[in-house]
Amino acid sequence: MTTVQKIKEIEDEMARTQKNKATSYHLGLLKAKLAKLRRELIDPKTSGGGGGGLGFDVARTGIASVGFVGFPSVGKSTLMTKLTGTYSEVAEYAFTTLTTVPGTVKVHGAPIQILDLPGIIEGAADGKGRGRQVIAVARTCNLIFIVLDVLKPLGDKRIIEAELEGFGIRLNKRPPNISVKKKERGGIALSNTVPLTNLDPDEIKAILAEYKMSNCDITVREPNATPEDLIDVIEGNRVYIPAIYVLNKIDAISIEELDLLYKIPNSVPVSSREWMNVDELLDVMWQKLNLVRVYTKPRGLAPDYSEPVVLRHGKSSVEDFCNAIHKEIAKQLKYALVWGASAKHARGQKVGLEHILEDEDVVCIYKK
């Protein structure tokens, strides 16, 4: 029996099993078994497939990468071509794009790599079409554009979310606040700072038994934590990626229908063909990427606002700023003067390498 068949068998059994106190342990076992089988699909070393393959390995450029995911013929290639100027073949038939097509768009001075991925189909995470390669590339992106046809957005949205979830991608979520620490002896110790509303102790025991974890400390600080959250922490191979639902072809609907689309969370309605509302899409993309622009100021001169040094949030210290310019600068730094949101004083603040910079700060470097 193949891995995909085993997954289907477990999913069918879970669907038949009514959730109650008596079945909690059994359901916990099934969920853990399902996660371990899914891991075989995610990990190319164990599954024999994965993210590589002809046309899927792309050299990364720019400060961040955005992957276009969607069903065939929803307008990904048209949007890609108009955003970046990179030609991605467009046609009225499905599966026009068969490999990853890279391009670059500059937003607020930051070069952002755009990856137009081949259209996926239902069952992609289980290996149908080129789905596993497509989703494996999406796992490495900093942001995912899920491109949907406005005439059938919700049904397609649910299918694509399920495919990405099955491949270990968690959209618009943060890692659950659950810690699992193995120990030599002492059995299982469970503590929680929030009510366990969706997580039954029997399910926890079953999951740990399936992973052969008989001695560990578990602390749950995540409100409404689920068995799936616990499994995600144990597996440790999940990726948490922000996503924007790009609702394409709004030129084909009415204003009233457009108002309804705006009620879908994290969505931006556009028309790639008519170039409608793309500016809003770029603005939302910038917010989701959470990048930090830092402007240089040579001593005795005005700041240079033409070419910012762009850093990622969480890696935006003065040391990161120096290394982005040249590796030797941090070694020679005496101090830096900083103006902007991260500075305590409007006249500027003298700081060291560990100082965290904010968006649109201005920095002047003083060497030893």
Side-chain angles (χ1 to χ4, degrees), residues 316-322 333 336 338 351-355 357 365:
S316 60
S317 66
V318 171
E319 184 173 9
D320 294 320
F321 168 77
C322 293
L333 181 78
V338 177
V351 301
L353 288 172
E354 70 286 349
H355 180 81
L357 300 166
I365 297 294

Side-chain angles (χ1 to χ4, degrees), residues 156-175:
D156 288 355
K157 176 176 178 287
R158 280 192 293 269
I159 294 170
I160 291 174
E161 286 173 340
E163 298 300 329
L164 297 178
E165 282 272 332
F167 219 69
I169 298 174
R170 304 294 178 254
L171 300 173
N172 296 320
K173 295 179 181 177
R174 52 177 177 72

Side-chain angles (χ1 to χ4, degrees), residues 294-295 297 318 321 333-358 361-366:
V294 182
Y295 301 103
K297 181 188 180 304
V318 171
F321 168 77
L333 181 78
K334 183 178 181 182
Y335 64 88
L337 275 181
V338 177
W339 295 264
S342 74
K344 293 181 180 177
H345 320 291
R347 63 181 182 275
Q349 180 184 352
K350 186 186 290 187
V351 301
L353 288 172
E354 70 286 349
H355 180 81
I356 303 300
L357 300 166
E358 298 289 342
D361 276 358
V362 174
V363 177
C364 181
I365 297 294
Y366 288 79

Side-chain angles (χ1 to χ4, degrees), residues 105-120:
V105 60
K106 214 164 192 181
V107 183
H108 300 310
I112 310 297
Q113 186 179 46
I114 305 293
L115 301 174
D116 182 18
L117 302 172
I120 65 172

Side-chain angles (χ1 to χ4, degrees), residues 134-350:
V134 172
I135 299 174
V137 174
R139 278 177 61 92
T140 68
C141 294
N142 304 110
L143 174 67
I144 295 176
F145 278 1
I146 297 178
V147 186
L148 302 167
D149 189 322
V150 293
L151 299 179
K152 48 176 182 176
L154 297 180
D156 288 355
K157 176 176 178 287
R158 280 192 293 269
I159 294 170
I160 291 174
E161 286 173 340
E163 298 300 329
L164 297 178
E165 282 272 332
F167 219 69
I169 298 174
R170 304 294 178 254
L171 300 173
N172 296 320
K173 295 179 181 177
R174 52 177 177 72
N177 194 352
I178 300 173
S179 67
V180 179
K181 295 181 180 178
K182 293 183 180 179
K183 57 187 182 182
E184 292 297 321
R185 59 182 67 84
I188 297 168
L190 172 64
S191 62
N192 53 292
T193 59
V194 293
L196 298 179
T197 53
N198 299 316
L199 196 56
D200 187 280
D202 285 340
E203 279 185 298
I204 295 174
K205 291 175 184 175
I207 291 166
L208 296 175
E210 179 62 28
Y211 283 98
K212 296 179 171 58
M213 299 174 67
S214 54
N215 297 290
C216 61
D217 292 327
I218 298 178
T219 306
V220 180
R221 301 184 185 88
E222 181 72 25
N224 302 312
T226 65
E228 289 76 14
D229 290 332
L230 175 59
I231 291 169
D232 283 353
V233 172
I234 293 172
E235 284 284 337
N237 61 354
R238 308 314 193 216
V239 292
Y240 297 82
I241 305 177
I244 299 172
Y245 299 96
V246 183
L247 307 174
N248 194 24
K249 306 180 184 179
I250 60 172
D251 51 303
I253 63 173
S254 66
I255 294 295
E256 291 76 18
E257 290 171 313
L258 182 59
D259 289 339
L260 291 174
L261 291 178
Y262 268 105
K263 295 181 180 180
I264 300 175
N266 300 300
S267 67
V268 180
V270 302
S271 169
S272 56
R273 185 174 63 182
E274 300 299 328
W275 204 242
M276 296 168 63
N277 212 35
V278 177
D279 288 342
E280 181 185 345
L281 177 61
L282 292 175
D283 287 341
V284 176
M285 179 186 78
W286 178 262
Q287 294 165 19
K288 287 278 190 181
L289 286 172
N290 206 9
L291 300 176
V292 177
R293 293 162 292 175
V294 182
Y295 301 103
T296 56
K297 181 188 180 304
R299 292 171 66 176
L301 299 175
D304 179 9
Y305 292 108
S306 61
E307 287 290 333
V309 176
V310 183
L311 306 170
R312 296 197 57 76
H313 187 76
K315 292 187 176 181
S316 60
S317 66
V318 171
E319 184 173 9
D320 294 320
F321 168 77
C322 293
N323 289 336
I325 300 171
H326 196 283
K327 300 290 184 184
E328 293 298 315
I329 293 178
K331 299 176 184 177
Q332 302 169 10
L333 181 78
K334 183 178 181 182
Y335 64 88
L337 275 181
V338 177
W339 295 264
S342 74
K344 293 181 180 177
H345 320 291
R347 63 181 182 275
Q349 180 184 352
K350 186 186 290 187

